[in-house]
Amino acid sequence: MDLEEAFKTVGEFGPYQKRAVAVLVLTQVYMACQSMLIVLVGATADFRTEQQDGVPSSQQRVIFTEDVDSIVTEWFLIKEQAYKVSLAGSLFFAGLLVGNVVFGPLSDKIGRRPVYLTGLFFEVVFGYVTALAPTYEVFAASRLLVGLMNGGIGLVCFVLTQEYVGRSYWAMTGTLTSMSFAVGIALFGALGYFIRSWRNLAMAANSSGVFFFLLSVTLPESPRWFYSQGQTERAEEVLRYMALRNGNAANRLALRRVGAARAGNHGNRAAGVLQLAIHPVLRMRTVVLMYVWYACSLVYYGLTLGASETSGSRYVNVAMYGLVELPAYPLCMYFINKHWAGRRKSMAGFLGLAGAACFCTMLIPENTGTLLSITSLALLGKLMVSAAFNIAYVYTSELYPTVIRNAGLGVCSMSCRVGGILAPFVPSMRAVHASMPFTVFCLSGLSAGCLGLLLPETLNRPAAETLEELSSPTHGRVLESKALLCEDEEWKSNTK
């Protein structure tokens, strides 16, 4: 039997898989706290400068008039030093970028579990370095390293939630992962309200990682990864263990043996990530997906990181920007499983609506105080882009075959992190014009939505396990272009 038949025998989403997925999903709460840490620990307090005769303006005494404990007040990151707050946020996302590039292909090569556990362990270690940092330089370096680990394990964590269950549950587990991240943002806002010291806040937010690491030690390797590597016997062992824990009989479970040509496609994908550029179908998909992920990240994090700059309590704002995502995920689960919407149209539609919401903010006067305000439209944009971001994760994992899925997700996530690196600096574009940040978000959302329509639909279509399967007519159409299909035939002849 093939893998999907085996999962039906084992249980596509049995009690054991529910527990395993729950551990991975709840780990997103910890990862969300690390991602949003700079929003509260880097909060800027109001201050005034005491004028002193004969003292240069750069050396005037600064007095903070707001009771805020943050890296800004501890290390006086104001005036000419204010950029260091955004820089620390960008360094975190730069770490995410490198982590995606390194950890994705690495987990395709040595396995999901060892990469995930190693990354989570070191993220916790570097998280404590952040909380205890004696200087800004140590703090910034630790944020880079935390981002490096966070980016790697976030990718592998998502893939594991997909590969532990039957394909019919991929959309649901992907949605649960994103919902947990949103809940994590809201919980971080609440945690910041009760813990005002930035060091204690960083310590508390990081400590949950220890708990999730201990729970993750018991997780098995992905049976899909074993199978894609030609290790059929080990895949059967994991599946039988899952069946046993699910209370199902699977003594006769036997997977179809894979030949040397298929086992891991080591000959075909010797170049690893380069296969994404060499294979004609993968190349076109990757280019489109990279821009979609970039736009999703820029709008998503740009709106979220700007939460502390809007009017009202910064803690309430952070929580709202997390909670507003929750309605997006039931919408996702409804639309992406409808034949008239599917993955492609749903993702493109939500991106377009996010861009439209950001455009409407430019038509509303500031401080209107009505229900239809800049803040409410920004929250609507956040809801829409959250839905698109969630679909992008699920959709991308279905567009790539198992043997190169992590590498594909890694490259797309790398592009996503470029958007994250730029996001902390977008709000500063208000200095040019008040509407400039929302103009950037608007154009990014609308253009990504249009490009997303070029991708093929994956709803109710079989998932590809190998590159050879991807080249079949069922999987290989990207732009329905005869030229591309001819190029695909040429690629197949060159790889034989």
Side-chain angles (χ1 to χ4, degrees):
M1 63 179 69
D2 62 21
L3 271 174
E4 297 309 321
E5 293 172 341
F7 270 105
K8 290 179 181 178
T9 301
V10 169
E12 289 191 281
F13 195 48
Y16 177 74
Q17 286 133 301
K18 289 177 182 177
R19 289 191 293 271
V21 169
V23 172
L24 295 168
V25 166
L26 290 175
T27 303
Q28 295 294 316
V29 173
Y30 165 70
M31 297 175 65
C33 290
Q34 289 293 352
S35 297
M36 296 297 110
L37 190 71
I38 195 64
V39 177
L40 295 184
V41 304
T44 301
D46 294 332
F47 66 92
R48 61 184 175 83
T49 304
E50 284 191 349
Q51 299 296 330
Q52 295 175 294
D53 296 335
V55 178
S57 58
S58 60
Q59 298 178 13
Q60 299 283 356
R61 184 183 178 186
V62 174
I63 298 176
F64 290 100
T65 58
E66 186 180 359
D67 185 18
V68 173
D69 182 10
S70 68
I71 61 172
V72 174
T73 58
E74 180 168 335
W75 293 317
F76 290 90
L77 304 182
I78 55 175
K79 299 182 180 180
E80 294 84 1
Q81 301 295 313
Y83 76 93
K84 290 185 177 180
V85 179
S86 297
L87 178 61
S90 292
L91 285 173
F92 176 85
F93 287 103
L96 290 181
L97 188 155
V98 178
N100 292 151
V101 174
V102 174
F103 282 71
L106 187 62
S107 67
D108 278 337
K109 184 176 182 180
I110 68 174
R112 317 311 197 201
R113 184 176 181 272
V115 171
Y116 171 70
L117 290 177
T118 302
L120 181 55
F121 174 80
F122 281 107
E123 180 170 2
V124 172
V125 171
F126 295 135
Y128 283 122
V129 175
T130 293
L132 302 173
T135 63
Y136 169 80
E137 288 72 23
V138 174
F139 175 87
S142 69
R143 297 314 297 161
L144 175 66
L145 294 173
V146 168
L148 178 68
M149 300 303 152
N150 190 289
I153 68 171
L155 178 66
V156 180
C157 180
F158 175 81
V159 170
L160 280 174
T161 63
Q162 306 270 283
E163 297 187 349
Y164 279 159
V165 302
R167 188 175 184 274
S168 60
Y169 287 90
W170 282 11
M172 187 192 71
T173 56
T175 299
L176 288 174
T177 300
S178 299
M179 286 183 70
S180 182
F181 192 89
V183 171
I185 295 175
L187 290 176
F188 179 64
L191 189 66
Y193 177 81
F194 291 104
I195 305 176
R196 298 301 177 94
S197 168
W198 78 265
R199 291 186 183 275
N200 292 338
L201 176 61
M203 187 75 72
N206 190 63
S207 295
S208 62
V210 178
F211 174 70
F212 292 122
F213 174 78
L214 295 176
L215 291 177
S216 299
V217 171
T218 62
L219 297 176
E221 181 56 88
S222 164
R224 292 181 184 274
W225 181 80
F226 276 139
Y227 189 68
S228 71
Q229 300 298 304
Q231 301 180 43
T232 312
E233 294 80 4
R234 299 189 70 179
E236 291 172 347
E237 289 178 10
V238 175
L239 289 169
R240 290 193 186 102
Y241 177 73
M242 287 182 174
L244 178 64
R245 298 294 296 272
N246 287 339
N248 298 327
N251 295 329
R252 296 185 179 180
L253 187 149
L255 294 173
R256 183 183 300 121
R257 265 41 185 176
V258 291
R262 180 180 176 181
N265 280 277
H266 292 301
N268 286 346
R269 66 183 184 95
V273 178
L274 289 179
Q275 195 63 237
L276 299 175
I278 297 172
H279 196 288
V281 174
L282 288 175
R283 180 170 62 245
M284 294 304 299
R285 291 184 183 181
T286 301
V287 169
V288 174
L289 286 169
M290 283 179 70
Y291 184 76
V292 168
W293 281 61
Y294 160 80
C296 283
S297 178
L298 182 69
V299 180
Y300 180 93
Y301 287 109
L303 292 173
T304 307
L305 294 175
S308 63
E309 298 184 8
T310 55
S311 59
S313 168
R314 60 173 58 91
Y315 308 104
V316 173
N317 288 339
V318 171
M320 285 178 58
Y321 272 84
L323 292 176
V324 76
E325 296 184 35
L326 296 182
Y329 303 117
L331 286 175
C332 288
M333 296 183 71
Y334 176 78
F335 282 106
I336 65 178
N337 290 310
K338 296 296 180 181
H339 66 88
W340 45 267
R343 276 67 159 149
R344 180 174 65 98
K345 292 179 183 178
S346 297
M347 184 183 73
F350 281 122
L351 278 168
L353 289 172
C358 291
F359 173 77
C360 290
T361 62
M362 296 182 283
L363 307 178
I364 304 296
E366 291 191 31
N367 302 319
T368 56
T370 62
L371 182 63
L372 188 63
S373 62
I374 291 178
T375 300
S376 62
L377 287 172
L379 287 170
L380 178 62
K382 175 67 187 300
L383 186 150
M384 293 294 107
V385 77
S386 299
F389 217 161
N390 176 59
I391 296 172
Y393 268 96
V394 176
Y395 192 23
T396 302
S397 68
E398 293 178 343
L399 285 170
Y400 287 110
T402 300
V403 294
I404 204 166
R405 182 171 296 128
N406 247 24
L409 281 168
V411 170
C412 291
S413 294
M414 176 188 69
S415 178
C416 163
R417 303 316 170 192
V418 173
I421 292 171
L422 297 176
F425 292 99
V426 174
S428 64
M429 297 176 70
R430 292 178 185 274
V432 179
H433 193 277
S435 64
M436 186 62 71
F438 287 107
T439 302
V440 173
F441 298 148
C442 169
L443 294 176
S444 299
L446 293 176
S447 59
C450 292
L451 278 177
L453 292 173
L454 298 176
L455 296 167
E457 182 54 68
T458 58
L459 178 64
N460 297 326
R461 297 185 182 181
E465 299 290 339
T466 66
L467 297 180
E468 285 75 12
E469 291 179 19
L470 186 69
S471 300
S472 68
T474 305
H475 300 283
R477 297 180 184 270
V478 181
L479 305 177
E480 304 298 333
S481 165
K482 292 182 179 179
L484 181 62
L485 293 177
C486 291
E487 188 179 353
D488 186 38
E489 291 298 324
E490 181 182 352
W491 176 86
K492 286 191 289 184
S493 64
N494 292 335
T495 55
K496 288 182 179 177

